[in-house]
Amino acid sequence: MKRLPLIITLVVGGFLGWWSHRALFLSEMANLKQRHAALIAEIHQKAHQDTLSAIQQMKDAQSRAAKLDEYYSGKLANVEEENAVLRADIAAGTRRVQIAASNLTACQRTQNRDTGTGRVGDGSQVELTAKAGRAIYDIRAGIISDQTKLDYLQQYVRDIVRQCKP
């Protein structure tokens, strides 16, 4: 029977030790949960800010692309309109295309206005036929159109590269 108080003391001491360790564990778990919740809230706030920033950056990029598209579309439309006027003038005969060479197959050499004769080397100019003149303006329109499209694409790539840089 002398051992009964010792056993009771050991059991009660073990229980108190377990209970105090459990209380400490629960307290630490509560602290960890609070820190975890604060960290999650901070991460959520940062992600929200980053998302809003990315959305704004995308809107700015779309706006710049739209302005770029509008600028080069207008430029192309103006050039095409100018070329259409030139073609119409050639077709109507109010405008001529002349080249200072006489060995072109699609050309008609103009005569010297003073003497009515035409010779190679007399300073006369070669006038293109209406069909050849229209072909020249078609080629010109194609070159200008291609150059405008290249300018647009180069500017677009510059904007994309600028967006990708931190």
Side-chain angles (χ1 to χ4, degrees):
M1 289 276 164
K2 291 184 177 182
R3 291 186 184 182
L4 188 61
L6 181 63
I7 293 174
I8 291 175
T9 303
L10 284 173
V11 169
V12 170
F15 177 75
L16 288 177
W18 172 80
W19 183 79
S20 66
H21 186 67
R22 180 179 178 271
L24 180 63
F25 174 76
L26 290 176
S27 173
E28 286 180 12
M29 284 300 292
N31 286 338
L32 281 173
K33 284 181 180 180
Q34 286 177 344
R35 287 195 319 219
H36 184 257
L39 186 60
I40 286 178
E42 183 180 325
I43 290 170
H44 174 73
Q45 182 64 27
K46 176 73 169 128
H48 183 67
Q49 290 172 348
D50 289 348
T51 301
L52 291 178
S53 174
I55 289 171
Q56 186 60 43
Q57 191 176 25
M58 183 180 64
K59 286 180 180 179
D60 292 345
Q62 287 173 342
S63 174
R64 285 193 306 271
K67 288 177 185 175
L68 191 66
D69 187 44
E70 181 180 337
Y71 172 76
Y72 281 104
S73 293
K75 187 175 178 181
L76 185 59
N78 289 340
V79 169
E80 287 175 351
E81 182 180 320
E82 176 186 348
N83 205 52
V85 168
L86 292 173
R87 282 184 52 114
D89 287 350
I90 286 175
T94 59
R95 192 177 295 257
R96 296 178 299 181
V97 177
Q98 294 181 344
I99 298 178
S102 62
N103 60 352
L104 299 174
T105 59
C107 300
Q108 296 173 344
R109 199 161 61 92
T110 57
Q111 294 185 352
N112 190 331
R113 287 187 171 44
D114 296 333
T115 63
T117 62
R119 301 186 320 242
V120 176
D122 68 355
S124 65
Q125 294 180 332
V126 176
E127 184 177 322
L128 296 176
T129 63
K131 183 177 180 180
R134 286 190 300 270
I136 293 290
Y137 280 112
D138 286 343
I139 292 169
R140 176 184 182 269
I143 291 170
I144 292 171
S145 174
D146 291 346
Q147 186 61 48
T148 303
K149 291 172 187 174
L150 282 172
D151 291 345
Y152 168 77
L153 290 172
Q154 288 172 342
Q155 187 62 40
Y156 183 78
V157 168
R158 281 188 209 105
D159 283 351
I160 295 297
V161 168
R162 192 177 315 124
Q163 290 174 26
C164 293
K165 288 184 178 178

